[in-house]
Amino acid sequence: MPAVKAPKASSSARAASQPYAMPLSPPASSGSSSGSMHLLENLSQPAQTMYNKMINSMPEGHIYTQSELTELVGISDPLRLMGLIQENMNMGLVKMLHQGDDLCYQAIKKEDAEKIQSMTKDEAMVYSYIESSGTEGIWTKTIKAKTNLHQSVVQRCLKGLESKRYIKNIKSVKYPTRKIYMLASLQPSIDVTGGPWFTDSELDTEFISSLLSIVFRYIMSESFPTEEDRRRLPPPASKKTNGKPTKNKKREDIVYDQVSYPANYRFYPSITQIHEFIRTSGITTVELAQSDIKALLDVLVYDGKIETIDHGMTYRAILGATVDDETSVQASEFDSIWSYGPFL
Amino acid sequence: MPQYEEELVVLLLRDIYGDIAAAVVDTLLKYGRLTIQLISRYSKLPISTIQRVLVPLVQNRFVLYWVDDKAGGDNATYVAWTRNIYNIVRSGVFVSFVLDRFPDTAGAPDIVKNLLLYGHFRVSDYLTPQLPSQAAASKSAAALLLQHKLLTTLRSHEFHPESDLYMRIFKRRLAAIPRSKAVSEAKREVQAHAEATEEFTVLKRIHDDVNDGLVAATNGSSNSIKRGHSLTDTSPSKTVDDSAVLALNHDKFVVLMRAQILVQLVSKRIGTVTAAVYRQVLDCMEPRLFRCVDNTDKAINVTSLEILRNLDPDLDLGRAVTEGSNKKRSRSSSSRASKRQKRDHGTDNSASESDESIEGNNISDHHFNEEDVDDEDDEDHIYDSAADNSRIEQLNLHLSMLSCNHNLPFIKRVGNKGGGEWTIDFDTLTARVRELEYDKLITQKQGAIACRLLRIIRDKGRIDEKQLARIALLPPKDIRAQLTALHEIGCLDLQEVPRGTDRAPSRTYYLWFHKPKSAYALMTQAVAKTMVRCYERIIEERARGRRPTIMTKLLREDVRRDEANMLTPAEREELRRVRGTEERFTAHMAKLDKLVLIFRDM
């Protein structure tokens, strides 16, 4: 999408103050949707040539500065050039935009220009604002504010445009009650749809929880020594009963079931590692960025399942945490505290 | 709202000391400080009864008294001391503690039980009615308990309320500062306060002396209290001062309970071997820890050598820590190389499956290859001096595992002499323990989602609903219900930030935040309320079992001695059921008391 700013009202008297100005002299066949050639036919020959050159020589959507246009058509006289541009603009085939301080021009496809011509003035204005909002979409209230039209007028235009399938209504994630409109052909931006966690503007909790458990299992497997590690350790020293009486005879014998990595173990998984794991495992088709993984890891930390080592460089699972949030045997221990209704 | 605590306290007294004692304390709690006449007036009991009942109450220091010098006559005023009455709940745990710790000391549990009964007694009074053999055992038991500070001596000032003691000291100090034109009244008072606080602190810590209540045995004089600082001086030459008055030291008990709780936490979070090491660390520190909330600035350091010396020699430190194979290290032997491959297809087991007895080879990072062979030999000769070196390294490994976690700083390294100096920052650690315990409670009540939200809010300070939903990856609708529920139980609080001048709800931000102190206080009250109900139930079950005839039958001496034969099977069954219920509730009360300990006393 070329970096165009919304066409501002030009301060000079010349040229259009509105992007899709109606032709200054209405052609005889305005209002009827005849073929696209029809528009071109109304142009003079040089104007037609210029238009065709603009369409064909550069990729679609290219913005021409005045100097580029001069080069293109080979007409160095600015007045004449202006005239040709004006003709095209009258037909809606060329659009004028601001790029910084300069004025520049963009060729419009014939079909699009046709569309605009067939719309009413208001509809055209509304359409232009919707188009300018790109993949962000625009709110009805904003349209109303910018066009200064009455609410009912705006509504009518929107309905008309929607029925012609030029625009569509999408649901925003941030503001679920707002009606956001954008061009029918475009895909809503990430901002609006909320990113990988949202499906149909709704938080996909199952997807998230399955991802969470996968990530947790992975971290868990990297956090503690595995079976093989344990088995390679030498056999236990036989308990020596020496002559010295031990101080605490009745202390229970310790169950030697601890296996941990030492304090300076450096190989707990980091974000990049986890990201790599998720990516290569092919669990999901949705592309996940590292920031998404970080969000998942934060949630796991807040669940009390993992903890960060080195202030966030790496992650480690907390001993005793389980994948599911099943309540442990201890859970019912303190039920009595809470069974006396809301506190006090 | 100490209302439920007071209810509990009165209930305890009613059960153990009778209705009148309970009524007197109830009056005192309702009205504050009273003289006997006033107590009589408000409780509608005759003065003689009150006088009779106050005796055990004062003996146990449930009620403190104060005689005002100026008022003249002996008009003593009485104040109830809730905290001490609450400690009755802990009596069972105290006894079992002593049994655990000093299993070979015959006289110890008896001393404790008698102290629970009488509140305090003089040593000579205790020893006189006993047979000589018993007396000797009791004497040594008392000496042992005194050394461990589970018992302390009582001074006369400890029967007075603290506020009165302080005021007396303050007045004295104030009078000692001469009036002069140069120093204003306010300044005098400030200085007097400072001096008085100092003196008061010294007074309160009078039991911290190592030789409190002890005298040298060879030397016959009873007043030679040496100012010794050696902590290893447990020589048998010290024995109990016969004229000392003994009482239970609940402060020390809380310290020991705290140690137990911390060790349990280490065992859960890291492992059993490290927990044993940690317990040893706490044991080494214990003689210097007199109370949990200690406002002195001195930090207590322990060295690795000291820990090593006291560590159970059978404890195999090496069996718990492993380097693990990893791709960055070079391997000398093929077995380890094959190990590396096996580890790569990482297994899915959670650490809780590590139930078999596991062998440990512990090697520190850079000594890996060279010391390998040495360590294998050393495992079998633990008492070699060469092995001692590696044992201290193993010990240091465990200690560094305890200190490496920033979320739970069990221990902190502060120096290098003596193989490594370590200290424990109890304030941060106990705060963290409280957080974890509270999280556990919230999870049990509200569920894991609520706990997630609580942790996020705790981390972020003040946060609004939308942000919360975004961070927690949960839909806003679900969150709202949880948040309001947490708000109801006092866990969270709302902060309103208006956007405009009007306070319309749609134009204000609502920020959630968590205040730990008030949340814990509210929860402790709920715990107190539960304890009240629990105890009422115990009393009910005990007093009115299904068949009162059993209870009366049990009062007979011959039945009590020989229950197996004197009761019918049905009666025995009934008894078992009633006793079982009582046990369950008492155990439950102990668990609740542990919560109170964590949140209020630790």
Side-chain angles (χ1 to χ4, degrees):
Chain A
M1 192 70 184
V4 296
K5 297 197 189 127
K8 299 179 200 159
S10 156
S11 51
S12 62
R14 123 195 103 128
S17 59
Q18 289 168 353
Y20 294 107
M22 295 311 291
L24 297 173
S25 51
S29 52
S30 77
S32 64
S33 48
S34 38
S36 55
M37 285 310 291
H38 163 78
L39 281 178
L40 274 184
E41 277 161 14
N42 282 333
L43 293 175
S44 62
Q45 199 51 39
Q48 274 191 33
T49 348
M50 186 177 94
Y51 176 72
N52 285 324
K53 280 202 182 144
M54 280 176 80
I55 284 283
N56 296 325
S57 56
M58 285 292 212
E60 188 187 328
H62 180 80
I63 303 177
Y64 293 90
T65 58
Q66 187 166 339
S67 48
E68 280 180 13
L69 278 181
T70 332
E71 216 181 279
L72 197 64
V73 293
I75 302 176
S76 44
D77 180 14
L79 265 173
R80 262 194 73 196
L81 191 61
M82 229 40 273
L84 294 178
I85 296 176
Q86 182 64 53
E87 275 194 60
N88 274 308
M89 280 179 68
N90 289 346
M91 287 291 126
L93 290 166
V94 166
K95 187 163 68 168
M96 187 172 76
L97 316 151
H98 279 267
Q99 208 172 41
D101 277 339
D102 303 321
L103 294 169
C104 40
Y105 310 93
Q106 190 180 34
I108 309 283
K109 285 208 296 238
K110 298 181 197 131
E111 299 86 28
D112 292 342
E114 267 295 312
K115 262 199 303 194
I116 309 298
Q117 300 289 52
S118 59
M119 285 187 227
T120 63
K121 214 169 170 179
D122 300 329
E123 282 185 348
M125 200 166 22
V126 168
Y127 184 83
S128 72
Y129 279 117
I130 292 181
E131 190 185 14
S132 64
S133 69
T135 56
E136 283 273 330
I138 191 168
W139 189 19
T140 48
K141 212 169 172 191
T142 325
I143 298 180
K144 178 162 166 289
K146 282 207 181 158
T147 59
N148 266 324
L149 295 169
H150 196 264
Q151 175 77 9
S152 47
V153 178
V154 172
Q155 284 296 94
R156 202 181 45 232
C157 296
L158 286 173
K159 244 194 279 185
L161 288 170
E162 215 172 339
S163 63
K164 291 195 204 137
R165 297 224 195 284
Y166 291 151
I167 62 174
K168 69 178 176 208
N169 183 8
I170 57 166
K171 228 167 74 97
S172 167
V173 130
K174 273 187 292 187
Y175 308 104
T177 45
R178 288 189 187 179
K179 289 206 178 76
I180 312 267
Y181 288 95
M182 71 167 65
L183 289 184
S185 47
L186 297 172
Q187 283 284 52
S189 70
I190 306 285
D191 205 26
V192 179
T193 55
W197 313 127
F198 288 85
T199 327
D200 308 325
S201 320
E202 238 183 42
L203 199 55
D204 197 349
T205 22
E206 276 178 30
F207 173 58
I208 293 176
S209 55
S210 66
L211 258 188
L212 282 175
S213 64
I214 291 171
V215 171
F216 175 65
R217 269 191 236 268
Y218 173 69
I219 299 180
M220 183 65 115
S221 68
E222 299 275 322
S223 303
F224 301 105
T226 56
E227 294 285 338
E228 295 304 325
D229 279 316
R230 279 179 237 149
R231 257 179 245 136
R232 71 182 269 257
L233 307 169
S238 54
K239 285 232 171 108
K240 304 227 173 216
T241 51
N242 45 350
K244 298 188 242 172
T246 49
K247 278 185 195 166
N248 307 296
K249 276 188 229 147
K250 284 197 189 160
R251 283 263 171 89
E252 297 150 10
D253 283 334
I254 298 193
V255 180
Y256 284 97
D257 63 354
Q258 169 185 357
V259 186
S260 349
Y261 287 128
N264 52 6
Y265 184 70
R266 289 193 308 269
F267 302 104
Y268 293 115
S270 64
I271 296 190
T272 24
Q273 214 175 317
I274 300 173
H275 185 212
E276 196 57 38
F277 169 73
I278 296 280
R279 221 163 49 81
T280 49
S281 69
I283 297 164
T284 165
T285 48
V286 176
E287 251 188 53
L288 290 167
Q290 260 200 16
S291 54
D292 299 323
I293 304 289
K294 176 88 173 38
L296 282 177
L297 289 172
D298 280 341
V299 170
L300 282 174
V301 169
Y302 288 129
D303 267 342
K305 296 212 174 108
I306 62 179
E307 53 186 1
T308 64
I309 311 281
D310 298 338
H311 304 289
M313 297 298 288
T314 51
Y315 292 87
R316 177 174 76 162
I318 291 182
L319 197 57
T322 49
V323 175
D324 313 309
D325 297 321
E326 72 235 4
T327 45
S328 59
V329 175
Q330 271 193 331
S332 54
E333 212 172 76
F334 294 114
D335 269 351
S336 59
I337 306 184
W338 317 100
S339 60
Y340 295 115
F343 279 31
L344 311 168
Chain B
M1 282 176 284
Q3 158 197 0
Y4 294 107
E5 236 178 276
E6 291 177 359
E7 244 185 78
L8 177 66
V9 146
V10 169
L11 205 60
L12 283 166
L13 285 178
R14 180 173 311 140
D15 190 41
I16 299 179
Y17 290 90
D19 283 324
I20 307 183
V24 167
V25 170
D26 196 25
T27 324
L28 280 172
L29 287 171
K30 266 208 276 252
Y31 291 94
R33 179 189 285 253
L34 297 173
T35 60
I36 293 197
Q37 288 87 351
L38 286 173
I39 300 178
S40 149
R41 189 191 314 170
Y42 291 131
S43 64
K44 315 231 183 345
L45 295 166
I47 292 192
S48 51
T49 329
I50 297 181
Q51 278 175 331
R52 212 177 43 229
V53 132
L54 274 176
V55 170
L57 291 177
V58 171
Q59 264 185 330
N60 278 289
R61 289 190 297 147
F62 295 153
V63 168
L64 303 165
Y65 71 92
W66 180 252
V67 181
D68 203 4
D69 321 313
K70 286 205 192 130
D74 37 18
N75 238 346
T77 51
Y78 297 89
V79 185
W81 191 13
T82 340
R83 187 59 69 90
N84 216 13
I85 313 181
Y86 177 83
N87 284 335
I88 297 179
V89 179
R90 299 196 174 143
S91 33
V93 195
F94 210 116
V95 175
S96 66
F97 212 85
V98 168
L99 280 170
D100 262 342
R101 265 196 159 217
F102 310 104
D104 307 323
T105 327
D110 288 326
I111 296 185
V112 175
K113 286 183 198 161
N114 278 304
L115 276 173
L116 285 169
L117 198 56
Y118 293 111
H120 65 277
F121 49 63
R122 197 177 292 273
V123 179
S124 46
D125 295 336
Y126 182 65
L127 294 175
T128 359
Q130 291 183 341
L131 305 169
S133 52
Q134 276 180 328
S138 301
K139 242 186 158 179
S140 55
L144 191 60
L145 289 175
L146 270 170
Q147 273 163 353
H148 284 267
K149 296 255 172 273
L150 279 167
L151 298 182
T152 56
T153 54
L154 265 189
R155 312 292 160 96
S156 56
H157 68 253
E158 295 186 66
F159 289 91
H160 303 311
E162 285 197 351
S163 46
D164 292 304
L165 288 170
Y166 180 75
M167 281 317 286
R168 185 160 67 179
I169 299 178
F170 170 68
K171 287 199 186 114
R172 190 165 19 99
R173 288 288 180 155
L174 190 63
I177 302 176
R179 287 173 189 266
S180 76
K181 282 240 171 110
V183 185
S184 72
E185 261 315 298
K187 274 218 186 102
R188 275 184 80 217
E189 284 196 8
V190 165
Q191 189 185 350
H193 269 300
E195 289 177 9
T197 341
E198 232 182 270
E199 193 180 318
F200 191 57
T201 334
V202 170
L203 190 65
K204 279 210 283 189
R205 285 164 210 267
I206 203 168
H207 300 300
D208 294 354
D209 181 25
V210 177
N211 296 319
D212 182 38
L214 298 169
V215 289
T218 50
N219 187 345
S221 68
S222 52
N223 283 330
S224 60
I225 300 179
K226 299 190 330 232
R227 292 228 153 254
H229 291 289
S230 124
L231 298 162
T232 53
D233 192 356
T234 54
S235 53
S237 67
K238 289 253 178 302
T239 182
V240 184
D241 184 0
D242 275 343
S243 61
V245 177
L246 298 180
L248 289 175
N249 186 1
H250 286 279
D251 288 337
K252 188 70 173 183
F253 174 69
V254 175
V255 169
L256 295 174
M257 287 301 293
R258 175 177 69 178
Q260 204 180 59
I261 291 174
L262 288 175
V263 168
Q264 271 171 3
L265 188 62
V266 172
S267 171
K268 223 173 45 139
R269 289 288 281 233
I270 303 183
T272 42
V273 182
T274 319
V277 169
Y278 195 58
R279 184 198 259 160
Q280 195 52 56
V281 174
L282 287 168
D283 279 350
C284 289
M285 281 197 179
E286 188 202 299
R288 285 171 277 177
L289 286 170
F290 301 110
R291 54 195 64 79
C292 267
V293 187
D294 204 346
N295 293 325
T296 55
D297 300 321
K298 286 182 287 163
I300 304 175
N301 293 351
V302 212
T303 60
S304 301
L305 282 175
E306 200 181 321
I307 302 171
L308 190 65
R309 229 179 295 142
N310 293 318
L311 203 54
D312 185 3
D314 288 336
L315 182 64
D316 192 350
L317 286 176
R319 287 176 62 178
V321 187
T322 168
E323 277 300 294
S325 66
N326 73 73
K327 307 127 197 178
K328 308 280 170 79
R329 305 242 179 84
S330 62
R331 297 289 151 142
S332 47
S333 70
S334 58
S335 63
R336 290 186 201 115
S338 64
K339 179 90 180 56
R340 188 194 319 165
Q341 278 127 25
K342 284 186 195 164
R343 192 172 174 280
D344 276 354
H345 55 70
T347 42
D348 207 9
N349 50 352
S350 60
S352 55
E353 291 172 20
S354 53
D355 270 335
E356 336 98 334
S357 80
I358 303 131
E359 293 91 87
N361 179 16
N362 141 67
I363 301 172
S364 67
D365 209 351
H366 36 282
H367 296 301
F368 184 79
N369 283 324
E370 308 94 73
E371 278 199 5
D372 205 7
V373 179
D374 291 339
D375 275 345
E376 307 240 350
D377 285 342
D378 288 342
E379 286 281 336
D380 294 330
H381 308 290
I382 289 198
Y383 299 104
D384 272 17
S385 57
D388 236 15
N389 265 340
S390 84
R391 193 162 160 83
I392 199 172
E393 273 169 18
Q394 291 173 358
L395 176 69
N396 274 338
L397 216 63
H398 280 280
L399 290 173
S400 53
M401 276 202 317
L402 284 166
S403 72
C404 73
N405 194 343
H406 297 286
N407 294 320
L408 260 188
F410 285 112
I411 204 174
K412 212 166 39 165
R413 190 185 183 117
V414 285
N416 281 321
K417 74 173 178 118
E421 271 183 288
W422 309 84
T423 187
I424 302 182
D425 181 6
F426 283 108
D427 290 332
T428 33
L429 188 55
T430 50
R432 196 73 189 98
V433 169
R434 275 190 277 266
E435 274 179 23
L436 288 174
E437 200 64 38
Y438 195 71
D439 285 346
K440 211 171 17 160
L441 285 169
I442 294 285
T443 320
Q444 285 164 10
K445 172 160 172 68
Q446 291 291 108
I449 303 177
C451 200
R452 191 193 284 186
L453 297 173
L454 170 63
R455 289 203 187 103
I456 298 176
I457 293 173
R458 203 190 264 145
D459 186 35
K460 301 288 179 191
R462 270 154 223 234
I463 188 171
D464 78 322
E465 215 174 49
K466 247 202 204 152
Q467 289 276 61
L468 198 53
R470 190 175 58 83
I471 298 180
L473 296 182
L474 289 166
K477 305 186 288 283
D478 295 355
I479 290 189
R480 192 169 281 200
Q482 301 283 346
L483 286 174
T484 37
L486 286 178
H487 192 191
E488 266 176 38
I489 62 176
C491 172
L492 297 178
D493 214 344
L494 263 181
Q495 163 93 53
E496 289 178 16
V497 178
R499 267 194 268 184
T501 45
D502 58 344
R503 288 291 189 100
S506 56
R507 291 188 62 79
T508 50
Y509 290 111
Y510 290 99
L511 304 174
W512 294 97
F513 64 99
H514 169 70
K515 270 198 303 215
K517 274 212 188 110
S518 57
Y520 300 160
L522 226 50
M523 198 227 28
T524 320
Q525 285 309 311
V527 171
K529 187 174 178 183
T530 319
M531 287 176 92
V532 168
R533 300 287 181 261
C534 228
Y535 201 67
E536 280 176 349
R537 184 73 190 276
I538 293 179
I539 296 177
E540 194 59 29
E541 290 283 335
R542 202 189 296 145
R544 276 195 273 154
R546 289 282 164 71
R547 305 244 298 262
T549 48
I550 279 198
M551 295 304 146
T552 43
K553 198 168 179 186
L554 269 178
L555 290 173
R556 280 163 47 187
E557 275 292 330
D558 51 351
V559 173
R560 233 193 282 178
R561 245 178 294 137
D562 192 10
E563 278 178 19
N565 293 333
M566 302 291 281
L567 298 171
T568 66
E571 287 176 337
R572 247 176 283 148
E573 188 59 37
E574 187 73 27
L575 192 63
R576 211 170 50 84
R577 194 188 58 81
V578 171
R579 283 222 183 109
T581 327
E582 193 180 326
E583 244 179 57
R584 243 200 352 260
F585 280 105
T586 322
H588 199 83
M589 278 198 74
K591 286 189 207 149
L592 292 170
D593 176 50
K594 189 164 144 200
L595 272 185
V596 173
L597 193 140
I598 293 178
F599 284 101
R600 192 191 62 178
D601 298 333
M602 209 158 84

